[in-house]
């Protein structure tokens, strides 16, 4: 058992492949790794390891996607003029800022979650933003983040040893204990093959808008906050 290291393992997690001996250890590993225990249907499988079971899994996954897309297309709000006008406005304003904003059909999780708005009076985006801290298996969702706010200011309530919330600080103590120069902010590059995932490194001293320029965003930005001294499998473009 990879949790207690005492008993013989009887179960294997479909999500992270950790071995466990009992229900108690299964629950402990899910809590420690923020693992939901659900197999990742989109995980990369090399050609050498591809079997008939993988083919059947992919086929069923595509069927599920087809049903979801069909149900979304039948949703009444898809054909609502107000919805179409709002999405067109967001994409158009983003294009004017040199940002390629792509939206998903109604029914997809990111489409439901997205609360991004554009204030035409202030000529400013208020972004829906997700922050992911991989080393602590933590993620936070922010709403109404102004596009002129710097990434350093956005991260202050989370990793600043003085200004961060005590509860959040305790959970992210590996970040708060590290020097600011060790913190790296990455954003996944969209429209790449799944076996060729790359990330852009963002500049914490610049505004959110400046960092998003020239990027492709699906619904809303998702930022990964990592530490340079800790090993991770995120490959920055150009490396």
């Amino acid at each position: 058992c990879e949790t207690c290291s005492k008993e013989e393992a009887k179960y294997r997690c479909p999500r992270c492949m950790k071995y466990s001996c009992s229900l108690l250890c299964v629950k402990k590993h899910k809590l420690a790794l923020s693992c939901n225990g659900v197999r990742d249907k989109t995980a990369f499988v090399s050609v050498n390891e591809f079997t008939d079971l993988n083919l059947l899994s992919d086929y069923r996954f595509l069927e599920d996607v087809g049903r979801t897309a069909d149900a979304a297309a039948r949703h009444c709000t898809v054909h609502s003029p107000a919805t179409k006008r709002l999405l067109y406005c967001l994409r158009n304003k983003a294009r004017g800022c040199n940002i390629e904003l792509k939206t998903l059909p109604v029914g997809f999780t990111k489409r439901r979650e997205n609360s991004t708005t554009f204030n035409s009076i202030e000529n400013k985006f208020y972004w829906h933003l997700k922050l992911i801290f991989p080393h602590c298996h933590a993620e936070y969702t922010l709403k109404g983040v102004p596009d002129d706010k710097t990434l350093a200011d956005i991260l202050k309530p989370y990793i600043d040893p003085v200004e961060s919330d005590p509860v959040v600080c305790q959970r992210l103590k590996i970040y708060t204990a590290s020097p600011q120069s060790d913190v790296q902010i990455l954003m996944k590059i969209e429209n790449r093959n799944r076996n060729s995932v790359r990330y852009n490194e963002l500049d914490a001293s610049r505004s959110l808008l400046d960092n998003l320029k020239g990027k492709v965003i699906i619904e809303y930005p998702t930022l990964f906050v990592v530490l340079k001294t800790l090993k991770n499998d995120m490959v920055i473009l150009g490396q």
Side-chain angles (χ1 to χ4, degrees):
C1 176
E2 294 184 58
T3 303
C4 67
S5 303
K6 295 177 181 179
E7 302 293 334
E8 183 181 354
K10 299 178 182 177
Y11 313 105
R12 193 175 189 183
C13 177
R15 182 77 179 188
C16 61
M17 299 301 173
K18 294 285 186 183
Y19 286 100
S20 302
C21 65
S22 63
L23 180 61
L24 180 62
C25 283
V26 169
K27 289 181 177 179
K28 282 183 179 179
H29 112 263
K30 284 184 177 181
L31 185 63
L33 301 179
S34 298
C35 175
N36 58 13
V38 179
R39 182 176 65 85
D40 184 5
K41 298 178 182 178
T42 62
F44 175 73
V45 179
S46 65
V47 176
N48 296 333
E49 299 174 350
F50 201 84
T51 64
D52 289 343
L53 286 175
N54 297 119
L55 179 63
L56 181 61
S57 173
D58 286 353
Y59 181 77
R60 287 175 174 168
F61 173 70
L62 291 174
E63 282 188 324
D64 290 340
V65 171
R67 280 193 292 269
T68 303
D70 183 60
R74 296 170 184 270
H75 200 283
C76 59
T77 57
V78 172
H79 308 288
S80 166
T83 301
K84 290 183 178 179
R85 195 160 52 245
L86 175 63
L87 294 179
Y88 175 79
C89 175
L90 283 176
R91 289 194 296 263
N92 194 39
K93 293 296 184 183
R95 195 178 302 114
C97 298
N98 193 25
I99 300 171
E100 187 177 350
L101 177 62
K102 295 188 176 184
T103 54
L104 298 171
V106 175
F108 284 77
T109 304
K110 291 189 78 171
R111 174 88 289 271
R112 290 198 307 267
E113 290 176 343
N114 195 0
S115 60
T116 300
T117 58
F118 182 81
N119 190 313
S120 55
I121 298 174
E122 299 178 4
N123 196 33
K124 184 189 298 184
F125 272 99
Y126 286 87
W127 288 97
H128 183 105
L129 188 64
K130 183 172 285 189
L131 300 176
I132 297 180
F133 298 86
H135 304 307
C136 296
H137 304 285
E139 65 176 56
Y140 300 92
T141 299
L142 289 71
K143 296 183 179 181
V145 181
D147 61 13
D148 57 354
K149 195 171 186 178
T150 65
L151 297 187
D153 288 338
I154 292 172
L155 291 178
K156 269 185 182 179
Y158 299 92
I159 62 174
D160 189 279
V162 178
E163 297 187 29
S164 60
D165 179 89
V167 176
V168 176
C169 182
Q170 179 62 26
R171 187 177 184 187
L172 303 178
K173 58 184 177 181
I174 191 173
Y175 289 90
T176 54
S178 302
Q180 293 297 311
S181 58
D182 194 27
V183 176
Q184 221 174 8
I185 307 171
L186 308 178
M187 189 169 77
K188 182 182 175 183
I189 301 173
E190 303 293 351
N191 299 336
R192 289 183 67 94
N193 292 333
R194 188 164 180 81
N195 59 343
S196 180
V197 178
R198 295 291 182 273
Y199 294 83
N200 278 316
E201 183 175 3
L202 307 184
D203 188 346
S205 63
R206 300 177 68 186
S207 69
L208 179 59
L209 180 63
D210 288 340
N211 277 290
L212 296 182
K213 286 181 178 179
K215 310 288 195 307
V216 177
I217 299 170
I218 298 179
E219 289 292 347
Y220 55 79
T222 299
L223 308 184
F224 294 84
V225 186
V226 300
L227 297 175
K228 297 176 185 177
T229 53
L230 295 181
K231 183 181 177 182
N232 61 75
D233 56 358
M234 296 179 177
V235 181
I236 299 174
L237 187 67
Q239 292 184 344

